[in-house]
């Protein structure tokens, strides 16, 4: 049976158990192998908007979605450097596909921070079994991004009723569980972990962005959804002290941008080596011998190397802060991640645009779909404004002002 856009069928819950990855090295090897495979049909998936259900099932089965589960619960608990590199590899192959599990790891992290021991046992086992988290965070028509109007209403049995409508719900269409940001009676922010096929949950495949076409970042409607008390996490407590929630989430966004830039530059170099004609004034037999093009590739390579270096430094800062968390280490991690995000966002847009500059007219052919890199970069980098990150970096450099604890830095 073919699912309709108004609530496509949820993932099949009968899939075999996922492999459990043992450590950082295995995680990187698995990610590299999957990225090579995913690159093959990335252009066609984007052009025809073929949603990557099979590819996500491979991510789950390979165990890649469980790599941040703590070792005490049977996971690999990989370093942030490893997690960032996993996302960079996947994004270089297919940025839409890489974006889908970003929120999955964010909400695994929420459970690590605020979940009860019983919640952690249950949900970490779900993740290691290959179950995927989506997200239902943003709302349209509100005053700003943190104006959350979705409500958790208490019931007499200790559970809740959940009502609201969410937009930009990346991952929800393919999820087994949808973490929902909602406010309780006292206006405190909570996360309700809701089963994808629970009564009252409707996931609408109505995403029509110019880029990231196959993320299915559409609408989630919640109509008096019953949520048990042990499926709700007090997210507001995360921000009462030093925290790495925002730094972890933003690190993955930076990794996606860095991967996008890498994929675009690799595509540009291949095109120039194999398809571009030399400009007649250059006097060379091939475009790849043109010193002006060589100079431009050198400039773009420097920009990419800087993004990758900042990404590694940011990941290491998050790991260092996690090992010794206080206000100072948390601030340093957030600033390091902000620097990586600002640079990677600019590199992704610049390099994806420069692809056409260096490759020439033929590269603009719609049939090649090389413009997907720019469309994906331009769309993904709109997630949150990097100009505010520059502001926070500036204040930190000038007088040591720590960045705020709102979860977006």
């Amino acid at each position: 049976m073919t699912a309709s856009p108004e609530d496509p069928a949820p993932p099949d819950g009968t899939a075999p158990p996922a492999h459990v990855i043992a450590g950082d090295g295995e995680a990187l090897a698995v990610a590299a192998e999957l990225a090579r495979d995913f690159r093959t049909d990335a252009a066609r998936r984007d052009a025809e908007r073929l949603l990557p259900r099979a590819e996500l099932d491979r991510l789950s089965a390979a165990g890649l979605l469980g790599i941040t589960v703590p070792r005490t619960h049977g996971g690999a608990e990989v370093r942030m450097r490893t997690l960032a590199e996993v996302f960079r590899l996947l994004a270089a192959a297919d940025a839409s596909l890489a974006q889908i599990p970003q929120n999955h790891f964010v909400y695994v992290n929420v459970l690590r921070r605020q979940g009860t021991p019983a919640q952690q046992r249950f949900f970490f086992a779900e993740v290691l079994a290959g179950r995927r988290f989506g997200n239902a965070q943003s709302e349209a028509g509100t005053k700003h991004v943190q104006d959350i109007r979705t409500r958790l209403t208490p019931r007499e049995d200790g559970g809740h009723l959940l009502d609201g409508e969410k937009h930009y719900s990346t991952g929800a269409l393919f999820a087994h569980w949808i973490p929902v940001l909602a406010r309780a009676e006292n206006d405190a922010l909570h996360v309700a972990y809701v089963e994808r096929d629970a009564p009252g949950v409707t996931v609408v495949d109505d995403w029509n962005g110019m880029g990231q076409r196959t993320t299915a970042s559409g609408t989630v409607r919640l109509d008096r959804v019953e949520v048990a008390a042990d499926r709700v996490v007090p997210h507001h407590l995360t921000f009462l002290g030093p925290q790495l929630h925002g730094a972890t989430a933003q690190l993955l966004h930076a990794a996606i941008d860095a991967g996008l830039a890498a994929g675009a530059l690799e595509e540009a170099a291949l095109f120039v080596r194999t398809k571009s004609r030399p400009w007649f004034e250059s006097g060379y037999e091939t475009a790849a011998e043109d010193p002006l093009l060589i100079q431009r590739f050198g400039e773009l390579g420097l920009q990419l190397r800087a993004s990758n270096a900042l990404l590694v430094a940011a990941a290491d800062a998050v790991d260092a802060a996690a090992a010794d968390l206080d206000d100072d280490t948390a601030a340093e991690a957030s600033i390091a991640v902000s620097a990586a995000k600002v640079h990677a966002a600019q590199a992704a847009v610049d390099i994806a645009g420069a692809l056409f500059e260096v490759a020439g007219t033929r590269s603009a052919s719609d049939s090649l779909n090389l413009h997907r890199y720019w469309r994906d970069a331009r769309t993904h980098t709109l997630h949150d404004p990097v100009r505010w990150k520059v502001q926070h970096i500036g204040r930190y450099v000038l007088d040591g002002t720590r960045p705020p604890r709102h979860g977006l830095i």
Side-chain angles (χ1 to χ4, degrees):
M1 182 178 71
T2 301
S4 71
E6 179 63 24
D7 194 13
D12 183 359
T14 62
H19 171 68
V20 177
I21 288 176
D24 294 72
E26 185 183 3
L28 292 172
V30 169
E33 179 182 356
L34 290 174
R36 283 192 295 270
D37 291 348
F38 294 160
R39 180 186 293 273
T40 303
D41 290 324
R44 185 171 70 93
R45 282 194 298 272
D46 176 88
E48 300 177 20
R49 199 174 180 271
L50 302 174
L51 299 182
R53 288 186 183 274
E55 288 75 16
L56 287 169
D57 284 344
R58 286 191 63 189
L59 282 179
S60 291
L64 210 57
L65 300 183
I67 58 176
T68 60
V69 170
R71 284 185 287 273
T72 54
H73 288 269
E77 197 173 353
V78 300
R79 297 176 299 165
M80 284 296 105
R81 181 188 287 204
T82 298
L83 185 62
E85 179 63 7
V86 165
F87 271 80
R88 195 193 69 82
L89 289 168
L90 293 175
D94 184 342
S96 285
L97 182 56
Q99 177 60 33
I100 293 170
Q102 190 264 348
N103 284 292
H104 169 90
F105 286 98
V106 168
Y107 284 104
V108 171
N109 195 43
V110 167
L111 288 163
R112 291 183 65 174
R113 175 79 179 190
Q114 296 299 343
T116 66
Q119 288 172 328
Q120 291 175 348
R121 283 194 301 273
F122 175 80
F123 280 114
F124 291 157
E126 286 284 283
V127 171
L128 290 176
R131 303 287 189 264
R132 295 188 290 269
F133 293 163
N135 99 90
Q137 298 179 120
S138 295
E139 299 179 12
T142 57
K143 186 177 181 180
H144 50 69
V145 69
Q146 292 199 324
D147 181 15
I148 303 297
R149 301 181 184 179
T150 297
R151 290 288 161 180
L152 276 169
T153 304
R155 299 188 308 176
E156 290 184 0
D157 63 0
H160 304 82
L161 290 178
L162 182 62
D163 291 277
E165 182 168 303
K166 299 289 188 173
H167 298 265
Y168 309 120
S169 303
T170 305
L173 188 70
F174 313 106
H176 300 88
W177 293 89
I178 303 176
V180 181
L181 277 184
R183 296 198 182 274
E185 279 190 316
N186 58 1
D187 218 34
L189 194 62
H190 290 70
V191 177
Y193 288 76
V194 177
E195 289 184 276
R196 162 65 175 83
D197 58 354
V201 175
T202 304
V203 182
V204 186
D205 181 18
D206 56 358
W207 169 244
N208 65 349
M210 69 171 182
Q212 295 196 293
R213 289 178 172 174
T214 60
T215 60
S217 302
T219 301
V220 171
R221 297 191 181 113
L222 306 149
D223 181 17
R224 296 183 65 78
V225 178
E226 296 184 5
V227 184
D230 61 357
R231 297 294 181 261
V232 177
V233 174
H235 193 35
H236 61 284
L237 299 180
T238 300
F239 308 104
L240 296 182
Q243 49 81 35
L244 298 171
H245 175 79
T248 300
Q250 291 291 311
L251 180 71
L252 302 186
H253 283 303
I256 291 169
D257 290 339
L260 262 166
L265 189 58
E266 183 179 345
E267 198 86 64
L270 176 64
F271 198 97
V272 169
R273 290 196 306 269
T274 60
K275 295 184 175 66
S276 295
R277 297 183 298 177
W279 183 242
F280 72 95
E281 292 179 286
S282 72
Y284 290 94
E285 290 296 315
T286 67
E289 297 173 280
D290 184 342
L292 297 179
L293 277 179
I294 292 171
Q295 176 73 19
R296 188 66 177 122
F297 272 100
E299 294 166 350
L300 297 172
L302 285 171
Q303 192 174 9
L304 181 61
R305 282 176 176 269
S307 283
N308 291 341
L310 285 167
L311 183 68
V312 169
D316 287 348
V318 175
D319 275 329
D324 183 21
L325 187 62
D326 59 27
D327 285 330
D328 290 332
T329 59
E332 179 58 33
S334 287
I335 292 298
V337 170
S338 294
K341 179 66 166 64
V342 171
H343 198 282
Q346 191 62 58
V349 174
D350 287 352
I351 295 174
L355 185 161
F356 304 99
E357 170 197 337
V358 297
T361 307
R362 292 174 65 192
S363 65
S365 171
D366 197 50
S367 63
L368 297 174
N369 197 19
L370 293 177
H371 48 69
R372 74 184 185 278
Y373 290 101
W374 186 87
R375 289 187 289 99
D376 284 345
R378 184 65 282 174
T379 301
H380 181 254
T381 54
L382 297 176
H383 180 273
D384 56 283
V386 295
R387 59 186 177 272
W388 276 98
K389 291 176 171 53
V390 176
Q391 285 284 307
H392 294 307
I393 294 170
R395 293 190 183 103
Y396 188 74
V397 171
L398 183 62
D399 58 18
T401 300
R402 299 187 188 108
R405 294 173 175 167
H406 53 46
L408 289 172
I409 187 171

